[in-house]
Amino acid sequence: MFKFIKNTQKISRYFISPGVCKQADGKFKSAVSLKSGQGSLAQDTVYTFSRLFETAQEAVDHARHEGIHLALMK
């Protein structure tokens, strides 16, 4: 299960929250949540990445970088 960082960053109209999940082999997967809107119009899209990282910080940094890139492309 992914743990998402509560310290979000706003890019354009999206709030970016990177996430990390420790694997059985001790490596880490990353994901990012892009949220927009409010109330019943809120939308949250989660992207997961297949690359594995040696540390949780590397996974979080990758997710944050990809989230910013995705937000700027939308």
Side-chain angles (χ1 to χ4, degrees):
M1 176 179 282
F2 283 94
K3 289 177 127 179
F4 286 90
I5 309 291
K6 294 187 191 258
N7 183 13
T8 61
Q9 181 177 7
K10 186 166 187 197
I11 301 291
S12 182
R13 63 185 186 127
Y14 296 97
F15 287 97
I16 299 168
S17 301
V20 65
C21 178
K22 189 170 186 179
Q23 303 297 290
D25 63 1
K27 295 192 177 185
F28 297 87
K29 283 185 86 171
S30 64
V32 67
S33 163
L34 295 181
K35 297 178 187 175
S36 65
Q38 292 181 347
S40 63
L41 298 177
Q43 182 179 10
D44 185 5
T45 305
V46 176
Y47 297 89
T48 59
F49 307 104
S50 59
R51 182 175 165 197
L52 295 176
F53 299 89
E54 296 295 324
T55 67
Q57 188 60 53
E58 288 175 332
V60 167
D61 291 344
H62 176 75
R64 182 176 290 119
H65 178 268
E66 291 298 316
I68 291 169
H69 181 71
L70 288 165
L72 292 173
M73 288 185 59
K74 289 189 167 220

